[in-house]
Amino acid sequence: MFARSIVIVLALLSSAAAFLPAQKITRAPVRLAAESSRRGFLAESVAVAGVALAAPAFADDAAPAAPPKPEKVNYGDFPVPSEWGISGKDYYADATRVVKHMEYATQQDKGAANMDEINKNMKKEMVDFVSFYRRFNNVAGKQSFSTLYTAINVLAGHYTSYGTKFPVPEKRRKRLYQEYAEIEKNIKKGR
């Protein structure tokens, strides 16, 4: 309310000033100051040079330290997968194998040996697992399968978007390891 009143008063004053007679503007004499502009330029140049030379004297001797790099979280050491593929006979054995292989593929850093080959095999194994087991209603309804299906979609989506030569980012890696833990817990309980 108060602000509205102030705005109205200012608007009235400015509109009233529009009807006042024009004031005569007097100009200061113009100096042809070629010499004074050179003097001004030289004075400014000397001042800038003085500041530039004096600034290091007042600076700290040590350069500011870079902020420490956050340490990479270690989610565990996983064995290098040697056998790829699923048996198609035992869901729990195949799910455990796929999860172990996914854990290894997820923990790889940039420049890891055989990353491209391992990730391509991983993608094929994930596709085979999902395409085989989602046909069975008794398996497709299990908690372990639905969580594993979600994790497979995340990792397969990463491979589709970034390729098999790029490591999984830390934020996505953290989420995947949470899902892997939940899957393993459900497999142990037979869910």
Side-chain angles (χ1 to χ4, degrees):
M1 183 71 182
F2 180 71
R4 181 183 275 175
S5 300
I6 291 176
V7 170
I8 292 173
V9 169
L10 290 175
L12 288 173
L13 290 176
S14 65
S15 63
F19 294 108
L20 292 177
Q23 295 179 356
K24 191 173 189 181
I25 299 174
T26 58
R27 296 185 183 200
V30 178
R31 283 191 259 163
L32 298 175
E35 188 176 314
S36 66
S37 67
R38 283 188 209 128
R39 283 185 199 148
F41 173 75
L42 288 174
E44 287 179 24
S45 298
V46 170
V48 169
V51 169
L53 292 175
F58 294 109
D60 293 336
D61 291 337
K69 256 187 167 177
E71 290 187 26
K72 182 178 176 253
V73 179
N74 186 3
Y75 294 101
D77 294 323
F78 304 101
V80 178
S82 57
E83 296 180 21
W84 295 97
I86 59 170
S87 68
K89 296 176 184 173
D90 182 17
Y91 164 74
Y92 292 111
D94 286 342
T96 302
R97 173 184 273 186
V98 169
V99 169
K100 292 298 178 194
H101 291 175
M102 288 175 72
E103 287 175 336
Y104 181 78
T106 303
Q107 62 97 27
Q108 291 181 332
D109 285 329
K110 192 169 189 169
N114 299 326
M115 176 187 263
D116 188 37
E117 180 185 337
I118 288 171
N119 289 343
K120 284 180 181 176
N121 287 334
M122 184 72 255
K123 189 171 183 178
K124 183 180 181 325
E125 186 177 77
M126 291 186 306
V127 168
D128 292 345
F129 178 83
V130 169
S131 63
F132 182 78
Y133 282 109
R134 74 174 162 202
R135 296 183 285 176
F136 303 109
N137 291 333
N138 62 337
V139 172
K142 294 183 182 288
Q143 287 180 344
S144 60
F145 181 79
S146 64
T147 308
L148 181 53
Y149 194 94
T150 302
I152 286 172
N153 279 337
V154 170
L155 194 55
H158 170 76
Y159 292 151
T160 301
S161 298
Y162 299 101
T164 55
K165 295 179 183 178
F166 190 77
V168 178
E170 188 61 35
K171 189 175 180 182
R172 188 172 296 138
R173 185 179 293 175
K174 181 179 177 183
R175 177 178 165 215
L176 281 169
Y177 279 113
Q178 289 172 348
E179 289 181 2
Y180 298 154
E182 185 179 333
I183 294 164
E184 290 172 345
K185 181 178 72 172
N186 287 332
I187 288 173
K188 285 178 184 173
K189 291 182 179 180
R191 298 188 206 166

